[in-house]
Amino acid sequence: MQFFKDLSLSAFTAGFVAVLVGFTSSVAIVFQAAQAFQATPAQITSWMWALGLGMGLCSLVPSLLLRKPVMVAWSTPGAAVLASAGLSGGFSMAEAVGAFMVCAVLITLAGVTRWFERVMNRIPTEIAAALLAGVLARFGMQAFAAAQTALPLVLLMLGAYLVARRWIPRYAVVITLALAIAFVALRGEMSWSAIRFELAMPVFTAPQFTLSAAISLALPLFVVTMASQNLPGVAVIRATGYDLPISRLITMTGLATLVLAPFGGYALNFSAITAAICMGPEAHPDRDKRYTAAVSCGLLYVVIGIFGAVVTGLLTAFPKELVVAIAGLALLGTIGSGLAAALRDEPHREAALITFLVTLSGVVVAGVGSAFWGVVAGSIALFVQQYRRSQVGSV
């Protein structure tokens, strides 16, 4: 099979790092969202089953078919919205499932009508690159901020990364991750008690459709998923030079959400952070073989879905400093490329810089994250600049 011929250790490691970063950085928020609807332990495990299989299959299958990296994740800001709205609104799990299905229909319509892709096509490459750099730069900063609480670990990882980049750059992240795991294991900093051996079982919840849940849960979930997840996700795809069928893939995530919603699959979308890890040069020097990193990531997500609590405990056993440090180091190349592309051309430089800074700020307005507002601010700046130039030219 061609996949096994193209697979490399660096690509598999990129897939593992993507899962490690994507899962451990936001699984607590997903748990909070489930608990906001009075979910039982069995239902929470079912959420992991649904989300794991959804993310895994939606990443694995199209990546194999297209031979290009397709990265799908759960909606982290969507989970935050659900956790907040669920607690304040007193919605039941049945009402929440109904809202998930309404959101899934809206995502599917966004893909079928192609309106979202048409909007993305009008965003200049420099703005998209600045958005990518702004989204990823926070992870780069967190990698070095982790030195405040784990200085020996961060120094070891940075030193290992720099030496490996000098002598064997293809396996720099692999070597850094292996040394970091060995270091924390020898120091007894792995939380082995978090691991519980049990398989995940799906729990079906019949949907209940109410107007209040549609307005308070479905619409905010749809807006933040498209603006804070799919928008930067497409920016990563464009900035890394991949030509993917955006609308068809969004339709796929909408349909997958619709099927998995009764089991806890609340919203699936393009990933940004983890996509950059699997689409960057650290995954594989040959960009035509980086799809193997996305496939590896998908396979690991499927394992998470099947084994549920076991893998959840294993991934959350890693110290948080290790997770943020390996993410930041793995993304250095992509951050640099994004900034270089964003600031390359003088006519777009100021607008791109505004996009980068607003995105990096992490500002949240009306429940919508900084990625969306970064594009809005950059687009307005670009419009004003171009309008002024046209006025001067006409004079």
Side-chain angles (χ1 to χ4, degrees):
M1 185 178 178
Q2 187 64 40
F3 166 74
F4 293 105
K5 294 180 181 178
D6 294 340
L7 183 64
S8 67
L9 179 59
S10 60
F12 180 81
T13 301
F16 175 78
V17 171
V19 171
L20 179 65
V21 172
F23 198 87
T24 57
S25 64
S26 57
V27 68
I29 301 176
V30 176
F31 285 169
Q32 290 174 0
Q35 291 168 347
F37 304 112
Q38 295 81 49
T40 64
Q43 287 175 320
I44 293 176
T45 302
S46 178
W47 278 45
M48 291 298 102
W49 177 88
L51 292 168
L53 260 64
M55 294 186 297
L57 294 177
C58 288
S59 299
L60 187 158
V61 175
S63 294
L64 279 176
L65 293 177
L66 298 173
R67 296 285 176 85
K68 297 176 182 178
V70 176
M71 293 290 291
V72 172
W74 60 45
S75 175
T76 300
V81 167
L82 292 175
S84 175
L87 287 174
S88 61
F91 297 101
S92 67
M93 182 62 76
E95 290 177 301
V97 168
F100 301 165
M101 298 181 75
V102 172
C103 176
V105 171
L106 294 175
I107 294 174
T108 304
L109 289 175
V112 171
T113 59
R114 300 176 62 88
W115 70 264
F116 184 74
E117 184 173 7
R118 286 196 291 269
V119 170
M120 290 301 301
N121 287 338
R122 298 182 66 87
I123 297 176
T125 303
E126 292 81 0
I127 299 295
L131 171 65
L132 169 65
V135 169
L136 302 185
R138 288 202 299 272
F139 277 76
M141 293 165 61
Q142 289 172 9
F144 298 100
Q148 294 180 349
T149 54
L151 181 60
L153 173 63
V154 174
L155 289 178
L156 171 68
M157 295 178 69
L158 179 60
Y161 177 81
L162 292 175
V163 172
R165 283 288 295 173
R166 174 65 178 84
W167 299 105
I168 39 177
R170 183 173 177 179
Y171 299 104
V173 176
V174 178
I175 293 171
T176 303
L177 178 62
L179 285 175
I181 292 174
F183 181 78
V184 297
L186 288 173
R187 288 167 59 97
E189 296 176 357
M190 295 286 288
S191 301
W192 300 114
S193 60
I195 302 175
R196 294 182 292 112
F197 293 94
E198 60 182 75
L199 295 178
M201 296 296 293
V203 176
F204 179 84
T205 300
Q208 180 181 347
F209 298 97
T210 64
L211 182 60
S212 60
I215 295 174
S216 300
L217 298 179
L219 288 180
L221 178 60
F222 170 72
V223 170
V224 299
T225 297
M226 299 303 292
S228 299
Q229 291 281 162
N230 278 330
L231 191 150
V234 174
V236 171
I237 294 170
R238 299 282 170 81
T240 50
Y242 286 101
D243 183 20
L244 294 175
I246 301 299
S247 293
R248 281 189 288 164
L249 292 173
I250 287 178
T251 302
M252 173 195 69
T253 62
L255 293 174
T257 301
L258 188 63
V259 172
L260 294 170
F263 304 98
Y266 64 91
L268 299 173
N269 45 245
F270 289 128
S271 65
I273 307 298
T274 54
I277 294 173
C278 291
M279 293 180 179
E282 301 292 346
H284 202 290
D286 185 349
R287 65 190 317 276
D288 292 332
K289 295 181 180 180
R290 292 174 194 166
Y291 78 95
T292 57
V295 173
S296 301
C297 180
L299 286 170
L300 292 171
Y301 273 136
V302 170
V303 171
I304 287 176
I306 295 174
F307 290 95
V310 180
V311 183
T312 299
L314 180 62
L315 292 178
T316 54
F318 290 102
K320 63 179 182 179
E321 292 88 355
L322 185 153
V323 175
V324 298
I326 196 63
L329 293 174
L331 291 169
L332 283 179
T334 306
I335 295 170
S337 299
L339 281 173
L343 305 177
R344 180 175 51 219
D345 297 327
E346 194 278 333
H348 295 107
R349 187 170 298 159
E350 190 171 89
L353 186 58
I354 290 173
T355 300
F356 170 74
L357 292 174
V358 173
T359 304
L360 180 61
S361 72
V363 63
V364 178
V365 179
V368 179
S370 62
F372 174 77
W373 299 116
V375 172
V376 170
S379 299
I380 292 174
L382 186 60
F383 171 78
V384 172
Q385 289 175 338
Q386 292 180 340
Y387 178 79
R388 182 177 180 275
R389 290 193 186 99
S390 65
Q391 291 296 99
V392 172
S394 63
V395 171

